[in-house]
Amino acid sequence: MLRARPRPPSSAPRVWASRPRRRITNILSLPARYNARSLTAHILPRLPPRLPPSARSHRFGACSIRDMAQEYEEALSCLSSLITRRTRADRTNKGDRFDLMFDYLKILDLEEEISRLKVIHVAGTKGKGSTCTFTESILRSCGLRTGLFTSPHLIDVRERFRLDGAQVSEEKFLEHFWWCWNRLKEKTSGDVPMPTYFRFLALLAFKIFATEQVDVAIMEVGLGGKFDATNVVKEPIVCGITSLGYDHMEILGNTLGEIAGQKAGIFKKGVPAITVPQPEEAMHVLEDRASQLGVPLQVVSPLDPGLLKNQHLGLDGEHQCVNAGLAIALSSVWLKTTGNLKDMNVDQNNLPEQFVKGLSRANLEGRAQIIPDSVGQQQNSNLGGMTFYLDGAHSPESLEMCAKWFSGVIRKDALHLERPHEAHHNGQVGYPNSIGGKEHVQILLFNCMSVRDPQLLLPRLLNTSAQHGVKFHKALFVPNLSLYNKVSSHLSPPADVQQVDLSWQLTLQRVWENLIHNELGSNYNGAYGGSLVFPSLPLAIKWLRESTQQRRSTQFQVLVTGSLHLVGDVLRLIKK
């Protein structure tokens, strides 16, 4: 077990820094105004007070905005009570009692409702959310009423439930939430306990989509497939498997074959399934499972960007062509099977106008998202400023794709601003430190869950970035503000930053420093300014904004990655 480092002198905030040559020290030279008391008073954001739960009955009628807010907070508190520690769902524990899902469907009278839904079911390791988003956008562009269920959410739990591309309204959410909650509370018992957090959300999604009478329900698997709550759908129209890799191994297994077996658990007898090119071990398992069930399994190629007719994918990054190709195939099969294809011609050489429109208008926050910092721009309007590049990548493969995307957009900006300054370093195309009078500095803002191995994650990010010419001037490591055991509409900054356990962030920092100095060495000389560990995200954002103020001719390009929870926290803070 890792031990937290000793607390630094009380006169300074707990900000840990490292400089080149592997020295990791505590910065005590910050301005005097940064004492423990002023940190909380002036740097941490002032958030609205949490409202007490509403004591009134859960009926809808005319109610004030404040009443609705109280009702919503109460619903979120109820949701929080369902969060439990995840356990491995396998045959030894009957899929963590997966059969309970069918008891819940009976209690909620949803069995027949689900059987009428025309479902597209998608599992995989990487790209599930993007594939589902592309698919929903395509089918909505075809004039269909769509329902989309994804996870996790970044800011508001209602992001998980989308009707016609928009998250469900607060009023509709509460109406369906209390309908499900009250029935389950009334009829569950010791033998059939209340569903766990994600199972409840999946049940709520089915209830919303059935009541709202969507034409198509696109359901993203939460974790795995075989024992996932969404797998109560007995006859989906089509199933999809996105790119497979190593993730959630503590639950899904230690080999690609074991992981693929869990994902293939969504296959249903005779129901067509579509996947993308996979590693041989994973593909063999998918093909074997499909053969056992008589499932026609199709492997589709990435989208040829030339088919977009001078348009661009709504989600950025070259890896999105893989997800878009799968979304096109899923949409085509669904349209054909349900008799909605009509006169649209979809093949390798042609995409209907509706498909192009859907692909180009797809939107998903926290994936290859670029947001200028409005506070920094207002305060520093001369030359510099700060831009956040957000991507929730959290597996080795996805972090490599994230690094390629970040390097690519940085390169486009550099070439767009001043082509003559394109530089070459060690045979690689690099990015100039100064473009059009501005100095450009790349900074990493990182965190990941402690169940992940930073020795697998950080090398892929660092090496891929370096290979494409990006050298991070500084790396910042922070804990998340979001809590894994609580659902809330507000951020909850730590009451005492001196008491925050930073042992995991210090571990991430040590791994990063070793990579910088042992693997890259002289390549980073003159460019690397060390790393910092901050006790909270607001402090890190504050430091970045003050740095922007101090260096008015510098453009800060901040890559935020490693955790969707971190990305969501940053979005909340910079959108306030």
Side-chain angles (χ1 to χ4, degrees), residues 109-181:
D109 293 326
L110 282 176
E111 294 170 299
E112 187 176 343
E113 300 275 14
I114 289 180
S115 68
R116 288 200 293 263
L117 286 175
K118 295 179 172 60
V119 173
I120 296 175
H121 201 191
V122 180
T125 305
K126 306 182 295 292
K128 296 192 302 293
S130 298
T131 297
C132 289
T133 299
F134 278 132
T135 304
E136 185 279 332
S137 189
I138 289 171
L139 294 176
R140 178 158 42 93
S141 295
C142 291
L144 297 162
R145 179 159 172 73
T146 60
L148 173 62
F149 177 63
T150 60
S151 61
H153 63 274
L154 298 180
I155 299 176
D156 192 310
V157 71
R158 292 180 293 120
E159 296 168 26
R160 297 173 181 247
F161 316 92
R162 294 188 178 268
L163 295 170
D164 293 327
Q167 69 181 32
V168 66
S169 69
E170 197 168 285
E171 184 173 355
K172 280 187 178 179
F173 174 85
L174 289 172
E175 177 184 350
H176 297 305
F177 176 90
W178 291 120
W179 189 93
C180 292
W181 179 267

Side-chain angles (χ1 to χ4, degrees), residues 355-368:
F355 278 54
V356 173
K357 179 180 176 182
L359 292 168
S360 64
R361 294 187 178 183
N363 178 60
L364 184 61
E365 282 203 318
R367 280 77 165 181

Side-chain angles (χ1 to χ4, degrees), residues 414 418 421-423 425 430-435 438 440 442:
E418 194 165 336
H421 284 260
E422 188 173 344
H425 300 283
Y431 310 112
N433 291 328
S434 180
I435 305 172
K438 292 184 184 180
H440 283 60
Q442 288 87 46

Side-chain angles (χ1 to χ4, degrees), residues 437-457:
K438 292 184 184 180
E439 180 187 10
H440 283 60
V441 171
Q442 288 87 46
I443 294 178
L444 174 66
L445 181 59
F446 188 90
N447 192 37
C448 67
M449 294 179 65
S450 58
V451 295
R452 308 198 192 284
D453 185 354
Q455 300 279 6
L456 297 176
L457 300 180

Side-chain angles (χ1 to χ4, degrees), residues 396 399-400 403 446 453-467 508 511-512 514-516 519-520:
L399 277 166
E400 181 177 332
F446 188 90
D453 185 354
Q455 300 279 6
L456 297 176
L457 300 180
L458 290 174
R460 297 288 277 271
L461 174 64
L462 180 62
N463 293 330
T464 303
S465 298
Q467 289 166 11
L508 297 175
V511 172
W512 178 264
N514 288 336
L515 286 169
I516 290 287
E519 295 191 16
L520 297 182

